[in-house]
Amino acid sequence: MNTHTTESTNATGRRPALVKAAKDDPVLRTARRGVARRRLGPGPPIPYGRAIGPVLLLAIWSAGSATGLIDPRNLSAPWTVVTTAGDLIADGRLQSNVWTSAVRALSGLAYGVAAGLVLALIAGLSRLGEGLIDGPVQIKRSIPSLALIPLLILWFGIGESMKVITIALGALVPIYIHTHNALRTIDSRYVELAETLGLSRPRFLLHIVLPGALPGFLLGMRFAVTASWLALAVVEQVNATSGIGYMMGLARTYGQTDIIIVGLVVYGLLGLLSDGLVRLVERKALSWRRTLAD
């Protein structure tokens, strides 16, 4: 009897300790957090979920064209667009125009990203730099880059320089805004830690500033890439002799909606591809973060 009572007491005494150990177990804590994310989050990933919307849109378009609800003079059928794209590829026109447009967009994007990053670093790390730079950039943010085209034409003419500068201005603002915001929101405790460790200015920039600004910079890159393609679609309507926009402009003159749709599809695919590349870099560079989507 006494032995049974002693064993019961020992078991009871061990139970709180076991419960406490279970609560403190990092593996169990991680599992509980994973369950909470699955229960309260958006749910598990859907295989090829991003294709659902485009496929549904294509199905509606095909059904409307097949039943005659969509006038082919206003919107060519999908199979007509595919045939036209094949003809453009066969004679080399599509590849040539895509290459020209890609060079313009990437050139403007490169200049815009470089300028936006430098301005964000100067404004984010210096009160004087912020006073000199932030105001003009915020003013530019309120003025659409496309509204500056008449002035840019007066300054740089209607050649390639005007087109690349317009694209660069469109890419500069999102890079600056998001990188500057990321710099300003770096936890001050990291700065205090760097000062305590006696880090030099270059090491502070390398180990504290750049990692802290990386999420904002990559988010700005996604907006900058989109802004570059949007600006490209407009500037190629201004005295261009090649490019996707030029091809679409000629098609508009002759009422060739199939070629216009091919150009729009190409713009969309280029935008999705470039955004996907940035997302891939973001996923690899920020793999240490745990978010709602994980």
Side-chain angles (χ1 to χ4, degrees), residues 46-115:
I46 301 175
Y48 308 105
R50 295 183 182 277
I52 295 176
V55 169
L56 179 61
L57 181 62
L58 180 61
I60 295 173
W61 179 17
S62 300
S65 299
T67 57
L69 294 176
I70 299 178
D71 190 339
R73 293 173 297 181
N74 296 326
L75 182 62
S76 299
W79 43 88
T80 303
V81 173
V82 171
T83 302
T84 301
D87 294 340
L88 292 173
I89 293 173
D91 61 19
R93 279 192 294 164
L94 187 60
Q95 300 94 305
S96 175
N97 288 318
V98 168
W99 174 254
T100 301
S101 295
V103 170
R104 284 183 185 136
L106 293 177
S107 298
L109 179 64
Y111 288 123
V113 168

Side-chain angles (χ1 to χ4, degrees), residues 1-15:
M1 182 67 179
N2 293 336
T3 302
H4 177 73
T5 304
T6 302
E7 291 177 353
S8 299
T9 303
N10 292 339
T12 304
R14 286 197 303 269
R15 190 174 295 114

Side-chain angles (χ1 to χ4, degrees), residues 148-172:
L148 296 175
I149 288 181
L151 188 60
L152 293 176
I153 290 176
L154 290 176
W155 287 351
F156 302 103
I158 54 177
E160 288 297 309
S161 297
M162 180 273 297
K163 297 177 177 60
V164 172
I165 291 173
T166 303
I167 296 170
L169 289 175
L172 180 151

